[in-house]
Amino acid sequence: MKQNIEPQNIAQRRHRILEEIESAAKKASRNPDDISLVAACKTQTNEIIIEALAAGQNTFGENRVAEAYEHFMAQATPRPELRMIGPLQSKKAEDAVAIFDVIESLDRPSLALAVSKAMQKLSKQPKLLVQVNIGDEPQKSGISVSGLPQFLAELQDKYDLKINGLMCIPPANQVAGPYFALLQKLAARHNLQELSMGMSDDFKTAIQFGATHVRIGSALFGERPSL
Ligand SMILES: *Cc1c(COP(=O)(O)O)cnc(C)c1O
């Protein structure tokens, strides 16, 4: 059957993902233009990055500052929107502020302090999302659900940081819908616009619950090369 054949290249896979985003949006009575495809490109080679750029992909999510440099600063590529989606060490905050348009993984006061200092020093203001540990998993980064209100207040009052939205990674091997619904509720409660949620396996569900940014790796690039 035709639709079970895996498309072979990035342009074809991207095209299919965009179609799936569009149909999921329509099903949820949403405008597909309100949903951005973020290419989660950890471990991909520069050749693959160039292929994705050539296919028209203009938003990328990076897990590590050094890898973002490698992918986008060390070669003369067109400059896409770069989003930090991985855990960020405070000592890397300045490098991150220097190159990212958006930092999605703000999740603790010490990092907020480092980011706000870097923003002042570099006179640069990346958009900021707060990562929420939506399943309250001990091993996962993100502010706890119960700690979110105080953290948001502190970001505003103490660090003068404007927050654009929330990001989460739901627990693996569980139905994701309830976690996406919770993040949507938290964003609405705090009047935040951007919702970064949904990956290759669950982005259609995330769109149903209001995702504005879906972060997609393997469905776009194929299975990741193991490290
Ligand atoms: C790797 C990664 C993704 C993409 O995961 P896939 O399942 O390959 O789509 C999304 N978000 C974050 C934070 C990631 O680290």
Side-chain angles (χ1 to χ4, degrees), residues 125-140:
Q125 301 205 308
K127 280 189 172 187
L128 301 173
L129 272 60
V130 166
Q131 182 173 356
V132 180
N133 186 353
I134 201 73
D136 282 325
E137 297 172 280
Q139 82 286 8
K140 251 198 198 141

Side-chain angles (χ1 to χ4, degrees), residues 38-42 61-63 84-87 104 131 167-169 196 198-203 214-224:
V38 179
C41 60
K42 57 175 175 272
E62 291 277 5
N63 288 67
M84 179 61 179
I85 63 174
E104 297 198 4
Q131 182 173 356
M167 179 269 225
C168 78
I169 307 168
S196 173
M199 316 202 309
S200 292
D201 290 337
D202 54 19
F203 69 92
V214 291
R215 308 177 309 266
I216 300 194
S218 47
L220 180 63
F221 295 113
E223 286 307 311
R224 270 183 288 282

